[in-house]
Amino acid sequence: MDVIHTDVLVIGGGLAGLRAALGARKRGQKVIILSLVPPKRSHSAAAQGGMQASLGNTAKGAGDNEDIHFEDTVRGSDWGADQEVARMFVHTAPKAVRELAAWGVPWNRVQAGPRDVIIDSQRVTLTEPEAAHGLITARDFGGTKKWRTCYVSDGTGHAMLYAVSDRTIAEGIPVHERMEAVSLIHDGERCYGAIVRNLISGKLLAYVARATCIATGGFGRIYQSTTNAVINEGIGAAIALETGVVPLANMEAVQFHPTAIFPAGILVTEGCRGDGGLLRDVDGHRFMPDYEPEKKELASRDVVSRRMEAHIRSGKGASNRFGEHLWLDITLLGEAHINGKLREVKEICQHFLGIDPAKQWIPVRPAQHYSMGGIRTDAHGAARGLSGLFACGEAACWDLHGFNRLGGNSVAETVVAGMIVGEAIADFCATPEGDMHVSTALVRDCREQENARFADIATSRGQESASVLMQRMQAIMSEKVGIVRNGDDLTVAVDELKNLLLRSRQIGLRSSAPGANPELTTAWRVQKMLKLALCVAYGALQRSESRGAHFREDYPRRDDAQWLKRTLAFWRDPEQRVPTLEYENLDVRHMELPPGWRG
């Protein structure tokens, strides 16, 4: 049995995982990072618009501070956020953005003097002060009172990921690529690392660690239409769930981004609307002011997505051979602006739609984008249920975002949470609790259990197809557990998903070849993804209110009296067909900003 020992094992090579690894390494811990793909190909590279930090350098950001950012974040979360975490986050974000600048991220900078911008479809001249010349600038994003989204044109995630990845190389942190954690090594109380599958050879290895951090991103691929990369299947969250003692929190809180190109589902940044782009219907009418007269296109993402879907339902959608959609108009920004600050959007439109967005409108429709739910952790990233297990980034329910995330806060969260959790991991390893006394028999048993699972799938003579089950799950989630939900659809979704979970135990393969066998990998993953889908659908069915991105048309109001609480989903018995749900109350007495009208 191949056993690899380290102090800290980080599962996930995106921004959150890399930054957590750097934090632990700086404190003298030996760190190994596992990644499905080379780190510079992680989904973090897809972030376009920017990261929020209250620098207050620009004319439209003047007077911004951590208190305003905090209020925007809590209000945007529809009072579902952990306010201790939100307060920590807003104070750390300015430090994080400056650290990234020192590491080489080429943030766009303030240029003193007059400049023309588009605000509410009108060309306006802003004058930037001489004292701010050369400082990090910001653009407008939805749900914020100030312009605070720092950006690198529309390739912010790409620039950040390359800088942080290069930093891990400089620090000598090894990244083991094409490796997938398939289960956690644990005894029900303490986590000791993970059993890991080499995706090239199919071989199982044991990584034994004093502390383990899951930073594997979201689970958007349980939906049919998603802006998520193909690797975002939620396996990190699933292996935590399958321990039986680690809960996933707020899984019903799933965000849909208003502007995914139609029909491909590829993200078009919120920066398009922040810079002045407009949403139009089949008649060319700008419809958002009809619904949201104050914020218009820059209302929170959940609000804009719902308004768009309602407008399509009212018969105002444009049509093509793939279905109905709306239009994003950025032609008024001008070719120079698009070529300079939205060049990735232009390339996406040219390659996937065959259009020039400086001259033609972009067909868009909301698509699944982000999961606010994930592994429940405390304010320092320690997972509930297993000592020695941590999580950060989108894989975790830290819980910064509550039931709706503001644009730009997730990119900021990756590096901010990475900073905080990396320090917490190092603190843990420096305590007696961080000492490791693991039985070799436990490691061997965990590995043999996973070997048996893969062997069972490979030798099964079942009649079910993994890809068919996957496609049906994705269709159910998109059709019945989407932007607008109701009890009847959710009941049907839960029943169908339960049936798919049973059928997934009868999957048969056409090839049982060892090594890089995509069919075997899909068969193994779909069983875990179905459990995540059930956590989302069943949690949504039980939550009889509307809060943030969770919108029930049969319960359209937020109900703080009954539902000011966080959902916790457990999967204690491998044979159970739906998660066990428990609830964690949010104590108003400890809130800095008590519940109020969201606006």
Side-chain angles (χ1 to χ4, degrees), residues 331-342:
T331 59
L332 67 169
L333 302 182
E335 193 164 0
H337 181 98
I338 292 170
N339 289 340
K341 294 184 178 178
L342 296 171

Side-chain angles (χ1 to χ4, degrees), residues 447-458:
R447 181 180 178 278
E448 289 179 354
Q449 185 179 44
E450 290 308 313
N451 251 335
R453 286 178 180 171
F454 277 100
D456 287 346
I457 296 172

Side-chain angles (χ1 to χ4, degrees), residues 328-470:
L328 174 63
D329 174 13
I330 62 172
T331 59
L332 67 169
L333 302 182
E335 193 164 0
H337 181 98
I338 292 170
N339 289 340
K341 294 184 178 178
L342 296 171
R343 58 179 181 266
E344 190 171 308
V345 169
K346 180 176 181 178
E347 291 174 0
I348 288 169
C349 290
Q350 288 174 330
H351 291 310
F352 291 92
L353 297 172
I355 66 171
D356 181 354
K359 300 174 182 176
Q360 297 160 279
W361 296 348
I362 307 168
V364 294
R365 188 162 185 171
Q368 191 281 340
H369 179 61
Y370 189 85
S371 41
M372 279 73 73
I375 300 166
R376 180 68 184 126
T377 73
D378 65 15
H380 298 282
R384 182 170 301 181
L386 277 184
S387 174
L389 179 63
F390 295 80
C392 63
E394 193 175 349
C397 183
W398 191 28
D399 172 28
L400 172 64
H401 308 297
F403 273 73
N404 177 63
R405 170 179 73 80
L406 295 185
N409 265 0
S410 69
V411 186
E413 183 196 17
T414 60
V415 287
V416 171
M419 291 171 73
I420 293 169
V421 175
E423 293 289 332
I425 290 171
D427 289 342
F428 173 83
C429 291
T431 65
E433 190 182 3
D435 292 340
M436 187 167 56
H437 307 283
V438 59
S439 163
T440 55
L442 174 65
V443 178
R444 184 183 63 249
D445 290 347
C446 290
R447 181 180 178 278
E448 289 179 354
Q449 185 179 44
E450 290 308 313
N451 251 335
R453 286 178 180 171
F454 277 100
D456 287 346
I457 296 172
T459 59
S460 170
R461 295 294 179 263
Q463 299 302 307
E464 298 290 349
S465 164
S467 59
V468 169
L469 296 181
M470 179 85 77

Side-chain angles (χ1 to χ4, degrees), residues 313-337:
R313 288 186 181 187
S314 72
K316 291 296 184 178
S319 296
N320 63 24
R321 63 193 178 98
F322 300 106
E324 292 186 300
H325 62 86
L326 294 165
W327 299 105
L328 174 63
D329 174 13
I330 62 172
T331 59
L332 67 169
L333 302 182
E335 193 164 0
H337 181 98

Side-chain angles (χ1 to χ4, degrees), residues 185-199:
I185 302 170
H186 70 96
D187 58 9
E189 295 181 357
R190 175 77 158 86
C191 180
Y192 298 104
I195 302 299
V196 176
R197 183 168 181 255
N198 184 316
L199 294 176

Side-chain angles (χ1 to χ4, degrees), residues 55 72 209 334 341 357 397 423 452 471 508 576 578 593 597:
L55 303 181
D72 285 346
K341 294 184 178 178
C397 183
E423 293 289 332
Q471 290 167 7
Q576 69 185 82
V578 292
L593 185 67
W597 183 60

Side-chain angles (χ1 to χ4, degrees), residues 176-214:
H176 295 189
E177 300 170 3
R178 314 293 181 186
M179 305 292 273
E180 180 170 30
V182 296
S183 71
L184 296 175
I185 302 170
H186 70 96
D187 58 9
E189 295 181 357
R190 175 77 158 86
C191 180
Y192 298 104
I195 302 299
V196 176
R197 183 168 181 255
N198 184 316
L199 294 176
I200 298 174
S201 68
K203 186 177 182 179
L204 293 185
L205 307 91
Y207 281 74
V208 176
R210 298 165 68 192
T212 304
C213 180
I214 295 176

